[in-house]
Amino acid sequence: MASPFAWLEPALNTLQRAHWSRQPTPSGAPAAMVSVGEPPRPLINFCSNDYLGLANHPKVKAAAIHAIEQWGTGATGSRLLSGHRPLHQQLERAIARWKGTEAALVFSSGTAANLGTIAALVDQRDLVLGDAYNHASLKKGARLSHATFYEYPHNNVAALAQLLETHRCHYRRCLILTDGVFSMEGDVAPLEEILAIAEAHRAMVLVDDAHGTGVLGINGAGTLAALGQSSPTVIQMGTLSKALGSLGGYIAGSQALITYLQHRASTWIYSTGLSPADTAAALAALEQLQTNPTLRQALEERIQQLEVGLQELGWPVLPRPFPTPIFCLPAPDPVMVLQWRQKLQEAGCWVAAVRPPTVPFSRLRITLRADHTPEHIEQLLAALAALLKRC
Ligand SMILES: *Cc1c(COP(=O)(O)O)cnc(C)c1O
């Protein structure tokens, strides 16, 4: 009799033929220079989301080690049972102060924060509208919620307004989902316009600020802070796993929202609390962000340098209201983008090749770090110039 898993081999073959197959590459401790692959080779790291270099910062590491010594390695239970430590409350209060909200709640990942929050807020009686380029966890959350879900073209506020005009009146609640800084494009959502039409249509807005967190706005408080926007209709989601160098996700908003999530967000209720080390690392990283503005200044200088250099080379750069550390260089197809990545690697630069189905079109994704030197950026620009010449 055929194995019930006989479909796996043909499914994998299909992925292979579409040039969609992928595998993780081992790499060393996060830094501007990192050893990559087997055998390991030192490359300039244009691949990580550790924008400020906090994942390997001495004070952040010391805080995590101290927390393990004091509290052990695991939280040992869900927050509502045995898994709640004073550290969790300290971190949630620090996030709320930093974001300027009444309260905050930390989840074991950004993905868990999105899935749990969306499914807690809306169900089959409700409407969800999301940007077509949103992160996979927002899209998955919308589908798991059983709400009616429509996507609007990337950053197209007119299309969003049209969907609201047509559909809003048929549903009980409405939730609009958007990345703040788009994770694979590096551009920024028009939040001012989105918040205005959301208010006009009595819609909630969830801004996923995984990549604005720590990078944009005063003290790195995120995209809304950078735009000078605040609104009672907005739910701010972010991760502890990118610029904060730890692991976990958060939701910041009103006290009523946070209390509701503690009763209804299944990924929070039925999951073990964040580990003491991750919690303490995030707290220490938050402290660094607020007391050490030189990290963000250094990052901004490198972003500026790469933007100017790409313009000089004639690579088109997506327009964006502020500098973000994510650069998207579109490639003609998945085969070409893999060749580009290989050439850049030979030139000493580690860059991500991101392909469908993760994104709608293949591209190089370049991310910058505060600890890159001007010479690192020059080396990347020289390697990109050589690629252009070959094409
Ligand atoms: C990384 C990311 C997430 C998920 O966060 P994790 O903490 O890695 O689970 C959610 N949204 C966006 C936009 C992201 O880039």
Side-chain angles (χ1 to χ4, degrees), residues 305-315 317 381 388:
Q305 186 189 352
L306 184 58
E307 265 175 9
V308 169
L310 286 172
Q311 258 150 22
E312 282 169 6
L313 285 182
W315 281 99
V317 179
L381 283 165
L388 266 189

Side-chain angles (χ1 to χ4, degrees), residues 14 19 23 71 73 92 107 128-129 147 171 189 193 200 242 249 270 278 281 304 321 336 353 389:
T14 304
H19 300 281
Q23 62 191 48
W71 302 104
T73 49
E92 288 169 343
F107 291 71
V128 175
L129 303 174
Y171 296 90
E193 289 97 319
K242 282 154 187 165
Y270 302 110
D278 290 322
Q304 192 77 32
M336 185 68 88
K389 251 198 209 134

Side-chain angles (χ1 to χ4, degrees), residues 49 108-112 114 134-135 137-138 179 181-183 208-211 237 239-242 247-249 365:
N49 298 319
S108 48
S109 74
T111 293
N114 277 337
N134 274 346
H135 189 262
S137 59
L138 290 177
D179 283 17
V181 172
F182 285 85
S183 56
D208 176 338
D209 215 13
H211 297 275
M237 175 273 171
T239 57
L240 308 175
S241 57
K242 282 154 187 165
L247 186 67
R365 177 177 184 264

Side-chain angles (χ1 to χ4, degrees), residues 54 67 106 160-161 180 204 211 240 308 326 330 343 365 382-383 390:
L54 291 174
V106 295
L160 169 61
M204 305 174 280
H211 297 275
L240 308 175
V308 169
I326 303 170
K343 288 286 164 209
R365 177 177 184 264
R390 281 165 34 92

Side-chain angles (χ1 to χ4, degrees), residues 276-341:
D278 290 322
T279 311
L283 254 172
L286 210 47
E287 166 90 22
Q288 282 305 307
L289 265 187
Q290 292 170 310
T291 55
N292 192 355
T294 53
L295 290 174
R296 274 211 321 287
Q297 282 155 13
L299 180 63
E300 268 175 38
E301 282 164 25
R302 296 292 80 75
I303 293 170
Q304 192 77 32
Q305 186 189 352
L306 184 58
E307 265 175 9
V308 169
L310 286 172
Q311 258 150 22
E312 282 169 6
L313 285 182
W315 281 99
V317 179
L318 284 180
R320 39 211 200 160
F322 352 87
T324 76
I326 303 170
F327 290 77
C328 164
L329 307 188
D333 56 63
V335 180
M336 185 68 88
V337 83
L338 291 177
Q339 284 172 7
W340 286 1
R341 179 181 66 182

Side-chain angles (χ1 to χ4, degrees), residues 309-383:
L310 286 172
Q311 258 150 22
E312 282 169 6
L313 285 182
W315 281 99
V317 179
L318 284 180
R320 39 211 200 160
F322 352 87
T324 76
I326 303 170
F327 290 77
C328 164
L329 307 188
D333 56 63
V335 180
M336 185 68 88
V337 83
L338 291 177
Q339 284 172 7
W340 286 1
R341 179 181 66 182
Q342 181 57 31
K343 288 286 164 209
L344 291 173
Q345 194 146 327
E346 286 161 18
C349 300
W350 190 32
V351 167
V354 191
R355 294 165 286 157
T358 302
V359 286
F361 58 88
S362 299
R363 80 279 306 273
L364 294 174
R365 177 177 184 264
I366 295 169
T367 54
L368 300 188
R369 304 170 50 93
D371 53 5
H372 281 140
T373 64
E375 293 71 31
H376 290 147
I377 308 294
E378 275 164 30
Q379 190 169 333
L380 173 64
L381 283 165

